[in-house]
Amino acid sequence: MHTGKKLVAGAVAAAAAGAAAIGISVSAASTATPSKKPTDAAKQIQLSKNVPTATPIKHVVVLFDENISFDHYFATYPNAQNNAGEPQFNALPNTPSVNGLNSTLLNNNPNADNPQRLSPSEAVTCDQNHSYTPEQSADDNGNMDKFVQNTTGSSCSPTGSPDTSSYGPNGIVMDYYDGNTVTGLWNLAQHYTLNDNAYGTQFGPSSPGAVNVISGDTSGAETQGGSSSAVINGTLNGDIDPYFDQCSNSSATPSGPGEAGGTTGELTGKNIGDLLNTKYLTWGWFEGGFTPSSTKTVSGQTQPQPVCATSHTNVGGAAVADYSPHHEPFQFYASTSNPYHLSPTKNEQVGTVFPKGVNHQYDLSRFNSALKNGYMPAVSYLKAPEYEDGHAGYSDPLDEQRFIVDEVNAVEQSKFWRHTAIFITYDDSDGWYDHQLGQIVRGSQTPQDTLNGTGQCGTPAQSSAATADRCGVGPRVPLLVISPWAKQNYVDGTFAEQASIPAFIEDNWDLGRVGGNSADSTAGSIMNAFNFDQSYGSAPAIIMNDTTGEVEKTIPAKPPASGSSDVVRHFHINTARFAGFKQNAEVSAAAARKARASAPKVSLSTRSSGRTVRVLVRTHGGSGALTTARMRLRDGHRVLVDRSVTVRDGRATFVVRGGARLHAGRYRVTVTADRGGAVAETNRAVRIGS
């Protein structure tokens, strides 16, 4: 039965917007809301430009792709095999290594099969099992040794042909690509920042991951039109089409105006779009295939139902539908949905509230058209059509590379590049092998949980009704930060998760928090990927070939003209969120241009008592930029602890209370100290227990 939920939710959203306009606090929203609602697109664009930011970043672009674990793409970075006939990758001098697969994990892996390199001729493979429970079972209490049994896909066949959706040699779930296939991503890592300590906010597949990257909160979920295992205990735990999207379950009759038919999911909380709207910031979600291919008349409805049926052919020759409703997270919310897939009439309307009904949800082509014509929202999420989104089974790294390279090239060559940050990350791991267990910061103790035993993920003390069936963090995924302000050729070990992206947006524009049960308030910060201790963003733009991923041209960054507002002479990071990364606030433009980063000297002292280890780090000398220390504690090939802190007054202390996982024996401590992109490393053995 139609319940009128859309009208009720819309009224609540309108009331919240009205309250914000007269200065009433709504769900942790920030102050300084513009007093006048814009009357046309041009006025909103100007309002958006005038909203101050905490950093020089005025535009955020999120390329949100599908189903890749960190090891699946970066296991051997920066070392590629470089076979003849394949795109070549040769690392730049002093390229740092990552927490990837060492010789032991490659040749004597604790899983049933060793990882094997996949070549460009094996781009399309079978899809792996990436559901909530199997992913936990594969991690096996942190032993990371049950992937073959638990996350190998049901469509994988040892007799399947390469570049087909059934291609699945024995142990394929363990396998990885290198810089001869994911060449474009490796080249981006070479010139900007790659985070090797980023994770899904929770275990599970696409829909939860998509929601977490815009809100950090999959609680408050409801089903409409029936029940579904994708919604458990009020949590979005699996894949389901969104209620406020009439391309969902397109063969079913819509349940009411602006609502999908069949069984769908709805989220009742807030998301980053709601917060951006409080300051009339321009923003949008842009997804391939969102523009309907046709419409059809529905009895009892005045608005025709959209039909999203466009398709493309992937590198393996298979036809793939462009649009996936369950990949479009804003359509789960009444406040940010565009149920009929309406489109703007002019490029200058993209990102604004005009025309009515579009509500910031667009086809990917709208972003590209607007950018080409000189318009770019403050915040843009870009979602490829399915054949280019990287999802195993129907997409692949070569088609995905074309999407990534084309979008990055376009932004880099636009007038907005100087003040832009591009984030590339993923909705889930697809179940592909990754050797690193993330920190469990939200526990769950339900029948769906198996990480630490039957019905357990994390400890009871970490678990509550608010975190039930959303245990996390989940599997490790790639995260790249591309910007003139990004650290160059840098591997960032700072802990991050999908919710770190909305947290960055919230802090940069002082939006407050999503509220509710969102992970945005506790997510690790992405700020360490940037270097704001300079007068202008100095990382060059690299223009790549979208077929090979190889660099074709480098565009050096040019300093702004003297007196330009682009020169950061007295730059203050002005939110408490960024306090730990505050840079020298009195750096002049001339001094910043002359500054050259140099690594400090590092000394360690270690002390162990029982199963507690204390590591004292001292740094001496080097350039004057902020120093970050990263400590890893290893037991053979296993990384048991991976933490980063800011060095204060030349000192930093790590304390590890390991409990039962730190048995008596010898361990290795590795500490790296990064000062403005220059890195020093020190190793020491430590004995624990008797």
Side-chain angles (χ1 to χ4, degrees):
M1 179 183 293
H2 170 53
T3 61
K5 278 182 172 289
K6 186 177 193 307
L7 298 177
V8 173
V12 171
I22 60 175
I24 300 173
S25 176
V26 179
S27 184
S30 166
T31 57
T33 300
S35 58
K36 278 191 174 183
K37 183 177 180 179
T39 55
D40 58 40
K43 289 184 174 63
Q44 182 171 357
I45 290 170
Q46 191 57 48
L47 272 177
S48 183
K49 286 180 179 178
N50 291 340
V51 176
T53 56
T55 76
I57 303 303
K58 304 294 183 183
H59 299 274
V60 166
V61 180
V62 183
L63 274 63
F64 195 56
D65 280 357
E66 292 281 313
N67 296 55
I68 302 297
S69 73
F70 183 88
D71 280 344
H72 189 54
Y73 271 6
F74 289 97
T76 64
Y77 180 85
N79 300 309
Q81 195 162 301
N82 286 334
N83 291 344
E86 299 177 352
Q88 300 295 287
F89 179 87
N90 294 289
L92 296 170
N94 302 315
T95 295
S97 61
V98 298
N99 179 11
L101 299 185
N102 59 23
S103 59
T104 301
L105 289 173
L106 287 169
N107 301 307
N108 191 23
N109 197 282
N111 280 270
D113 290 278
N114 284 328
Q116 302 290 327
R117 174 187 182 266
L118 294 167
S119 72
S121 64
E122 300 167 290
V124 181
T125 70
C126 59
D127 185 24
Q128 310 306 316
N129 188 340
H130 45 289
S131 295
Y132 181 84
T133 301
E135 286 185 344
Q136 291 187 26
S137 298
D139 287 358
D140 185 26
N141 203 32
N143 293 310
M144 315 304 279
D145 60 355
K146 295 291 190 293
F147 283 81
V148 175
Q149 301 93 319
N150 289 287
T151 58
T152 299
S154 59
S155 65
C156 298
S157 170
T159 60
S161 300
D163 271 352
T164 69
S165 61
S166 64
Y167 181 60
N170 290 334
I172 189 164
V173 72
M174 303 292 297
D175 294 350
Y176 64 91
Y177 295 100
D178 70 6
N180 306 131
T181 301
V182 288
T183 317
L185 285 171
W186 279 37
N187 275 317
L188 289 171
Q190 285 277 274
H191 292 84
Y192 306 103
T193 293
L194 169 66
N195 187 302
D196 68 348
N197 197 23
Y199 303 82
T201 288
Q202 70 189 65
F203 290 94
S206 295
S207 294
V211 169
N212 279 316
V213 85
I214 69 162
S215 73
D217 189 6
T218 55
S219 66
E222 300 177 0
T223 56
Q224 300 294 333
S227 61
S228 170
S229 60
V231 177
I232 305 174
N233 294 322
T235 293
L236 183 64
N237 179 271
D239 287 339
I240 190 171
D241 280 358
Y243 182 48
F244 301 109
D245 189 334
Q246 289 211 339
C247 279
S248 296
N249 300 330
S250 56
S251 61
T253 302
S255 60
E259 299 162 351
T263 302
T264 55
E266 174 186 2
L267 284 160
T268 58
K270 288 186 176 293
N271 61 57
I272 193 66
D274 296 312
L275 301 190
L276 290 164
N277 285 340
T278 64
K279 292 192 175 182
Y280 301 114
L281 284 156
T282 54
W283 68 277
W285 177 278
F286 302 85
E287 183 163 342
F290 191 84
T291 296
S293 54
S294 63
T295 60
K296 59 184 178 182
T297 302
V298 178
S299 176
Q301 287 199 183
T302 58
Q303 187 86 2
Q305 181 184 1
V307 177
C308 299
T310 60
S311 65
H312 283 84
T313 301
N314 68 20
V315 72
V320 181
D322 289 334
Y323 182 64
S324 174
H326 76 265
H327 291 169
E328 221 288 25
F330 288 106
Q331 299 285 80
F332 285 96
Y333 301 82
S335 61
T336 56
S337 62
N338 177 358
Y340 298 109
H341 290 233
L342 304 178
S343 296
T345 57
K346 297 180 289 187
N347 285 314
E348 54 264 41
Q349 294 174 327
V350 171
T352 73
V353 297
F354 304 96
K356 184 178 179 181
V358 174
N359 210 13
H360 304 278
Q361 310 308 310
Y362 308 94
D363 192 271
L364 178 64
S365 62
R366 292 290 175 175
F367 175 84
N368 294 317
S369 177
L371 182 65
K372 184 178 179 180
N373 286 277
Y375 299 95
M376 183 174 169
V379 175
S380 304
Y381 286 88
L382 307 189
K383 191 73 177 179
E386 283 198 301
Y387 82 111
E388 289 183 322
D389 68 16
H391 193 305
Y394 60 74
S395 185
D396 59 275
L398 298 181
D399 283 311
E400 180 196 8
Q401 179 169 260
R402 181 174 52 251
F403 163 70
I404 290 173
V405 168
D406 287 350
E407 298 301 339
V408 171
N409 283 354
V411 173
E412 286 181 328
Q413 295 176 96
S414 76
K415 67 180 182 179
F416 304 104
W417 167 242
R418 185 185 294 277
H419 294 297
T420 295
I422 301 173
F423 300 121
I424 301 177
T425 193
Y426 294 81
D427 63 344
D428 62 68
S429 71
D430 199 59
W432 293 112
Y433 170 63
D434 191 275
H435 76 281
Q436 181 64 53
L437 178 70
Q439 303 173 36
I440 299 302
V441 294
R442 288 169 296 277
S444 176
Q445 312 285 305
T446 77
Q448 286 67 242
D449 295 301
T450 60
L451 177 67
N452 305 114
T454 303
Q456 299 176 56
C457 186
T459 66
Q462 296 170 311
S463 310
S464 67
T467 61
D469 292 300
R470 53 188 290 238
C471 186
V473 295
R476 192 168 60 144
V477 296
L479 170 62
L480 293 99
V481 180
I482 302 153
S483 173
W485 300 89
K487 293 177 181 176
Q488 298 177 54
N489 198 13
Y490 181 69
V491 175
D492 185 9
T494 306
F495 174 80
E497 58 181 284
Q498 289 159 336
S500 299
I501 289 177
F504 178 90
I505 296 168
E506 291 161 359
D507 292 336
N508 195 50
W509 279 276
D510 192 21
L511 302 176
R513 293 286 181 237
V514 167
N517 297 316
S518 176
D520 61 352
S521 60
T522 56
S525 174
I526 306 175
M527 279 296 295
N528 191 48
F530 296 95
N531 177 16
F532 295 127
D533 191 10
Q534 53 185 315
S535 61
Y536 66 97
S538 58
I542 59 165
I543 307 305
M544 297 176 291
N545 183 292
D546 68 1
T547 299
T548 66
E550 295 171 324
V551 177
E552 295 185 327
K553 181 171 65 172
T554 298
I555 306 173
K558 294 181 179 180
S562 178
S564 167
S565 60
D566 286 347
V567 179
V568 184
R569 295 182 183 274
H570 299 282
F571 177 68
H572 293 266
I573 296 174
N574 60 19
T575 66
R577 176 77 170 167
F578 295 163
F581 298 95
K582 188 173 182 180
Q583 308 292 325
N584 182 351
E586 301 297 327
V587 176
S588 70
R593 281 195 296 272
K594 292 179 182 177
R596 297 180 64 86
S598 58
K601 294 180 180 179
V602 182
S603 60
L604 303 181
S605 60
T606 60
R607 183 158 53 95
S608 62
S609 176
R611 291 194 173 97
T612 297
V613 180
R614 183 180 298 270
V615 180
L616 175 63
V617 181
R618 292 183 176 88
T619 63
H620 313 273
S623 54
L626 182 85
T627 300
T628 300
R630 176 182 185 181
M631 187 274 290
R632 291 173 174 171
L633 181 68
R634 299 176 184 269
D635 178 11
H637 64 267
R638 293 182 61 202
V639 178
L640 301 179
V641 178
D642 190 340
R643 297 179 185 170
S644 296
V645 299
T646 300
V647 177
R648 306 289 187 190
D649 299 322
R651 294 167 62 94
T653 302
F654 297 91
V655 179
V656 181
R657 296 179 175 86
R661 66 176 178 165
L662 292 185
H663 54 80
R666 290 178 65 84
Y667 296 78
R668 178 160 293 278
V669 173
T670 300
V671 172
T672 56
D674 180 287
R675 182 164 289 181
V679 179
E681 181 174 292
T682 301
N683 291 275
R684 176 158 300 181
V686 59
R687 177 170 289 281
I688 297 174
S690 57

